[in-house]
Amino acid sequence: MKLVDDVRTLLNSDTQIAGILDLSPFDDAPTLLGSLLGSICKSAHVAGAVTRVYRSNPTLQKQTEYDITEAARRNFEPGGPAATFLFARGSHAIMAYRVTHQLWQDGDTNMALALKAAFGRAFSTDIHPAAQIGAGLWLDHGLGFVVGETSVIDEDVSIWHNVTLGSTLADTGPSRHPHIGRGAVIGAGATILGNIKIGAFANIAAGAIVLENVPERILAVGTKARNVGPATITFASPKSTS
């Protein structure tokens, strides 16, 4: 995993960083991921669980590397993927979700929920392990991100802080929460509720409250969001916009 080598290079450039982050020595991607999330949660048990899940599921390592690479590409801060991996709270929250989701899929729901609780305290997020989140999610800042159990987020979505993907409480069954289409961009503080679809490459403005479907490539604004014209923003890579 190239990310491991990049992180090692960054840490070697300033020996204080590993100490500040309280990182344990690592040999490979699973131990690095476990060390990082375990140190944030201040728990050796969390570190061990994360390491085990990533070691048992090599595809998660590739997915996380893509998440980090895309977050670094869309962000404006220096340091590239290694700095994003070490310092970006939103990226940490997505790594944590990937662990809980894998455990949920494996049927270990109690462990998934226990880790969700620990990660929620650490990152100020509440992401249900059953939610489906595609690769390449950029969660900028991460604080206050709430995702309901039946939510679906497709690939290459970009989301800011204090966003809620929730239920109206009127919906029942297997699809009570929003489905966010590929490449969509959701601004800070947006609230999206119910079994609705946000189309691919749509833009949801900061503070919008969305209760109805938003078509592809449309900008929705307002405290009761309305469609006002073509979407103008995407952080997805050129290959995913066709």
Side-chain angles (χ1 to χ4, degrees), residues 171-194:
D171 294 320
T172 59
S175 299
R176 306 185 305 278
H177 298 92
H179 184 152
I180 310 301
R182 182 168 59 105
V185 177
I186 302 177
T191 301
I192 305 173
L193 301 178

Side-chain angles (χ1 to χ4, degrees), residues 132-134 137 145 147 151-155 157 159 165 179-180:
Q132 301 176 54
I133 300 179
L137 173 61
F145 186 45
V147 182
S151 298
V152 177
I153 302 174
D154 290 341
E155 293 182 352
V157 169
I159 299 178
L165 306 181
H179 184 152
I180 310 301

